[in-house]
Amino acid sequence: MGNIRENRLVHLIGIGTMSIAFLIFYAFILVFVNINYWTEKQGKTLSMSIYFKEEPDSAVIENIKKELFVFPGVTVKQFVSKDDAMKSLRRKLGEKAGLLDGLKQNPLPASLEITLSRDKGGDNLPYQLKKRLEKSSVVDEVHYTQEWIKKFQAIMEVIKIVGVIFGGLLFLAALFIITNTIKLTIYSRKEEIEILKLVGATNCFVKIPFMIEGSIQGLLGGAVALFALFLAYIIAITRIDISIGFASFNIVFLSPYIILFLLLMSVIIGFIGSTISLGRFF
Amino acid sequence: MGNIRENRLVHLIGIGTMSIAFLIFYAFILVFVNINYWTEKQGKTLSMSIYFKEEPDSAVIENIKKELFVFPGVTVKQFVSKDDAMKSLRRKLGEKAGLLDGLKQNPLPASLEITLSRDKGGDNLPYQLKKRLEKSSVVDEVHYTQEWIKKFQAIMEVIKIVGVIFGGLLFLAALFIITNTIKLTIYSRKEEIEILKLVGATNCFVKIPFMIEGSIQGLLGGAVALFALFLAYIIAITRIDISIGFASFNIVFLSPYIILFLLLMSVIIGFIGSTISLGRFF
Amino acid sequence: MIQLFQVYKNFGSKNPALLDINLTVKKGEFVFITGPSGAGKTTLLKIIFCAERPTSGNVLVHGRNLNRIKERDLSLLRRRIGVVFQDFKLLPRRNVFENVALALEIIGFPLPMIRKKVHQTLRYLSLTNKEGYYPPQLSGGEQQRVAIARAIVNNPLILLADEPTGNLDPDLTMEIMALLKEIHIRGTTVLVATHSKELLKGTTRRIVTLNKGRIV
Amino acid sequence: MIQLFQVYKNFGSKNPALLDINLTVKKGEFVFITGPSGAGKTTLLKIIFCAERPTSGNVLVHGRNLNRIKERDLSLLRRRIGVVFQDFKLLPRRNVFENVALALEIIGFPLPMIRKKVHQTLRYLSLTNKEGYYPPQLSGGEQQRVAIARAIVNNPLILLADEPTGNLDPDLTMEIMALLKEIHIRGTTVLVATHSKELLKGTTRRIVTLNKGRIV
Ligand SMILES: Nc1ncnc2c1ncn2[C@@H]1O[C@H](COP(=O)(O)OP(=O)(O)OP(=O)(O)O)[C@@H](O)[C@H]1O
Ligand SMILES: Nc1ncnc2c1ncn2[C@@H]1O[C@H](COP(=O)(O)OP(=O)(O)OP(=O)(O)O)[C@@H](O)[C@H]1O
Ligand SMILES: [Mg+2]
Ligand SMILES: [Mg+2]
């Protein structure tokens, strides 16, 4: 009876080790997917703010919009009136909004927020647009962030390359740890394997239960890891609101396809791990 | 005899798993140390290039230098003459340097490379300096990169926080994997422990060899991991020359103190791991 | 049924465990193998069972030369040989029923048949009330009887019993001997390794005596 | 030396392994414990040795109540008791010499002394040429003799031998019995659990017979 309980414990240890190994790998994939997603988004679209000298009336806005739609890949996000700008500033200030009460006049400019798509507009578009718009008598200034993005993308390229290398190594490490763990659990049952063979069991009869066990262990390990990662993700998105000056992070979780793929992979790793580990005995 | 060989194999598996777990953690520390080192360097010093209209004579340079030394935290790195600039360009072009042969005149400007220290100069210094220098009749333009650095530092702050959290979790993961591995190796010797106790061995007599073994395993695992990391580092610095537009990465290895600390830590983890794992039996 | 020709077994020390063994056991024979401790009895049985390979010489079991047998055929052959190991070799994580049922599971018996045969065999060996016990919970004699049960449950062609009564009291020893005789009468070739004088006393069976690896 | 008062041991099944055992063994006595398989002989020895705790009742060994003994004192007590386990319990990864030396190492004997005593004991048991072997390389009888050697090498106060000759041939059995007598004469209290009629035949020693957990 004690033996049974112990055996279960050995399995639990095995599954625990596996989940941690998987978790490290999965967490890395999650971070990587997010970086990818984010640079993709940032790299393809570029947001531009058109600040007006005075509060424009709707005719003026329509005019500007018409002018904009001549260019490909331009999307008008929203018009922010002076009042809207003030409201959003108040919201951001929170408790300290009282500071704004003393103002006699609203100093904030009205603006039109638009995005440009690199795919359609080409690299030169933002500059052309800025130049053209700033000639207009109603427009005060045009801001955009492409210069920054270009440098940032260079770093991101490097991060991507480093990421793929590191991810690959991490995968190998997880595979190694998992195979070793399975090996150790199988070692603890070495004698049983020998007895089974002496009693006339074929290799398949002995191996198949271990392989099934390894696959199930892999599946459970992978599932536990994914669950832990999901919990961490939930905590992260509710607690942390990472905003880096220019844009706020929108953390995404792994897509269902990736999840399915990872679970399948964990089963396969468990299966391969036990098959490799069994090799010694046959 | 077969038993002995097997036992050695179990140990090898254990050490292997440990080294991989350590390696993941150490690699992370290395990346982290480098990011830290790099941002620190970038954040504290700011490099500025002063481009001259014509090739200046040494009196002009001396004058500029005198002017510069009035400001705190300014270090003159080097003067790059038009010829120097051309040479360095040729070097960068390598085989394609022949393209430059057609030039009748050297179009590259001479420049003076200086660095400013944020600690001493304050945040406003670069701007002041730029304005002042550009008034000079010999200076064409002054370039510096602080705007970029400020944004970059914001990201780095986030990376640091994420890094510490991630590093901590990675450490726990390594500890968990290592403890589990030791647990499994000790399980495979459960019967021996029981026999020793039945023959009248005190707890210490039974435990101490396992603890020593665990510590040695930890040390070996840590050493193997550090060695692998060092090899990877050597390959990285000789093969990869990461340059991200504005500054080239200068990858540093872990300092001897950190190495010593990590080795000590791996011994301690091995020791604690075996002590925890032995807990079950006493 | 079993033939050994000039079989030598050397484990690497100066004294070989078996020296020039020539032995023929015919179908349906009942043979005792005896000799002092370390004489080579267990080694001889292990070689017949292909748990050890001879250093030189040939072994034919049920018409098959063990030097040239394939992995798969070896499993098939072993299923037809019942073995009572000197150290029992029970699976510690399976209970008595499961340990005995194993020999039938491997052959692919249907479950109801397995149940019936296992219960019947355990009854023979007075183990009915230990069915759910795990080997570490059994007394030495009980373990030995479980090992015997596993060896005979599938009516093997050959039964190799290594010291099958070493942990049993005289009454049980007589019962086991009666059981072995019954199995023998049903057609099984039986080899029993023992140094018990009691077992050998007054027997008319063939006795092979080993000493220092030689048949004497 | 050994006193058991109303000792019960129940492993959780309906039939307890030991029922109301009252037994006193005086210093220097030589006692045989006998009874059929599963009678409770091993369990009784295990309780004296504190490898199992009684469900109820008290056990005094060498003046110490085992119900109230501390971990450390238990180790000290066990060093003065030699035990031959029915399943030997040798360390598979240490060779014969190391297995026997273990009992002396634990006490903290100096190495030259250990060497001398181990060699002497192995000679007694005709194991000199097996010194470097590992237990899985030994025959059943050789393993049993190593177990005996480990139990007696440190001249214990009490010797508990569980079926010490189950795997030995008649000649060796007589030698072992002579050895036990010699140890007894030197002052050791000896308890031997056995169902061998040969051992008990013609002995004038005290015989305690167990049946279904009771002394009869
Ligand atoms: N794997 C092994 N490696 C080295 N020597 C071995 C091995 N197996 C057995 N021997 C040696 O071979 C000899 C014969 O062993 P075997 O087990 O056949 O004896 P046995 O007749 O069964 O004795 P017993 O009655 O004590 O069981 C012994 O001296 C033993 O030490
Ligand atoms: N750990 C345990 N759990 C449950 N039952 C046990 C346990 N240990 C022993 N028993 C039972 O207690 C009874 C007595 O066992 P014990 O080993 O004392 O018998 P024994 O007299 O030594 O027999 P043998 O001569 O066969 O060795 C047996 O029926 C056995 O099944
Ligand atoms: Mg034998
Ligand atoms: Mg017993």
Side-chain angles (χ1 to χ4, degrees), chain B residues 189 192 197-198 200 202, chain D residues 49 71 78-79 89 93:
Chain B
R189 298 175 64 181
E192 288 173 49
K197 294 202 70 189
L198 285 178
T202 53
Chain D
F49 187 58
E71 181 73 33
R78 280 182 177 166
R79 292 177 193 180
K89 292 206 191 297
R93 280 185 262 268

Side-chain angles (χ1 to χ4, degrees), chain B residues 83-94:
Chain B
D83 275 5
D84 292 341
M86 182 54 92
K87 269 181 210 151
S88 110
L89 180 59
R90 275 182 185 279
R91 217 177 301 123
K92 270 188 194 154
L93 286 175

Side-chain angles (χ1 to χ4, degrees), chain C residues 130 133 136-142 167, chain D residues 11 17 36-43 52 86 163 195:
Chain C
K130 300 288 174 194
Y133 281 55
Q137 299 177 315
L138 296 176
S139 82
E142 287 159 358
N167 286 280
Chain D
F11 286 107
S37 175
K41 303 180 292 297
T42 302
T43 307
E52 295 279 1
Q86 195 170 8
E163 209 72 58
H195 26 54

Side-chain angles (χ1 to χ4, degrees), chain B residues 45-51 68 74-78 111-116 124-131 133-134 141-146:
Chain B
T45 66
L46 180 141
S47 55
M48 192 179 256
S49 304
I50 303 161
Y51 293 102
L68 285 171
V74 172
T75 319
V76 173
K77 283 291 171 198
Q78 62 175 359
S111 64
L112 191 66
E113 307 287 330
I114 64 171
T115 61
L116 313 183
N124 222 7
L125 177 63
Y127 183 66
Q128 276 181 291
L129 208 58
K130 179 183 160 90
K131 248 176 130 179
L133 286 170
E134 283 184 346
E141 242 190 316
V142 174
H143 269 181
Y144 71 96
T145 46
Q146 187 173 35

Side-chain angles (χ1 to χ4, degrees), chain D residues 198-215:
Chain D
E198 257 167 283
L199 280 193
L200 301 177
K201 205 158 50 191
T203 186
T204 55
R205 314 284 182 188
R206 178 169 160 207
I207 299 179
V208 175
T209 307
L210 286 175
N211 197 356
K212 294 188 179 162
R214 285 182 193 282
I215 294 181

